[in-house]
Amino acid sequence: MKRCTKAVIYKDNLEYNIKQILNVLKPGTKLCIAVKADSYGHNAILTSQIAQKLGVEYLAIATVDEGIELRKAGIKANLLLLSLCIPDEFTELFEYDITPLVFGKEYIKLFSDVADSYYKNDKKLNVQLAVDTGMGRIGCYPEEAGEEAVLINSSNHLKLSGMCTHFAVSDSLAEKNQDFTKEQYKAFVNAVNYVKDKGIDPGVCSCAASAAILNNPDMHFDMVRSGIITYGYYPDEITKEYLTKIHKDFDIKPVLAFQTQVVAIRPFPKGKSVSYGRTYICKKDTDIAVLPVGYADGLLRRFSPGLEVTINGKNYPVCGRICMDQCMVDIGKNNPDVKLWDKVLIFGPKESGALNDAEALAKLGNTISYEVLTSLTKRVERVIE
Ligand SMILES: *Cc1c(COP(=O)(O)O)cnc(C)c1O
């Protein structure tokens, strides 16, 4: 693909971030990297290869198809499926050795029956028991964990290989939210103990995602599940500034640069309007640069007005509505710094020349960096730098 609108993946930054995360773990704590949603838009195969090279043992996916893609690319790490799949997909879990999260007596029984009819030998599939300690999403309640673990391990072809829970507000510094996280943690410890009380090894237990990895080192358990920080962004209030304040030495760099090129520069007289809805009227004679990028690429329509893009080290405002495939930038009259075909950075790491990161766009669009990153669509080619 030769299209100029693309996402450049700074491989060295990805490696740097993973090393930074490994650095904050106690010896023996395992790392699971979330490569779901194509690694938050960063190319799951590349991320998985780098993670494997650095000794990361677990990768987290959200769909069975994501797991199959990684297996077909030769990824050998444990694949942990964080979302539930439907019975039609069960045999693919066996075929590709994907570890699902299970809970609920009916689901476990159904899963166990399908496993019985699939396996012709005495092989067992690793499964993890999901516990809902307060996220309000998936999982059994802590007091059900013991019985459900018994059900799993009494199955012919399933083996409990771990337990996990997920925090709802660990990315907030408000005292009541930090207290809630502590309650969730305690409930999870109880759930693990209920399983042990049944004489069952709970396996590799995990609860911390990015926020708790950084802010709750006492909650790392056997493994942590790192998502957004892998890709160079901080989870909400657990920012670089906050970590510096609590004397925590941690540094990450954005990995992805979203870029395009100037494909036209047109003179606009005072009073002429730009784009749909005529929301932008030129206040004086100016030049408008046209960019071949729009909301169908993931440049959300709500970013304008407000969005500025970087051309040759300077920011210029996107003007008028962002269209599906194009948008316009007011570069001012006869600007010697902007020429046809110049590179334009929408966001990215410093190395890319961008002055904005995905966090800045997120603020502008009233969302989070996670959504800005995963909004980049398929037609934006990922190029490895
Ligand atoms: C996505 C996800 C993670 C990673 O979250 P980050 O905040 O990006 O670190 C961890 N655990 C579960 C269950 C998830 O769904």
Side-chain angles (χ1 to χ4, degrees), residues 224 240 301:
V224 298
K240 172 99 184 162
R301 195 169 171 274

Side-chain angles (χ1 to χ4, degrees), residues 166-182:
H166 195 50
F167 295 139
V169 283
S170 59
D171 57 354
S172 161
L173 293 170
E175 196 179 323
K176 70 171 198 303
N177 290 335
Q178 285 298 312
D179 286 347
F180 190 80
T181 303
K182 283 183 197 129

Side-chain angles (χ1 to χ4, degrees), residues 231-247:
Y231 308 106
Y233 291 96
Y234 290 90
D236 201 23
E237 294 179 14
I238 317 299
T239 58
K240 172 99 184 162
E241 294 69 45
Y242 164 71
L243 292 171
T244 307
K245 218 168 74 190
I246 62 165
H247 307 291

Side-chain angles (χ1 to χ4, degrees), residues 34 36 40 82 137 165-166 208-211 225-229 235 370:
K36 60 190 182 186
Y40 296 36
L82 298 176
R137 197 165 64 182
T165 196
H166 195 50
S210 290
R225 306 186 304 262
S226 169
I228 196 73
I229 53 176
Y370 298 70

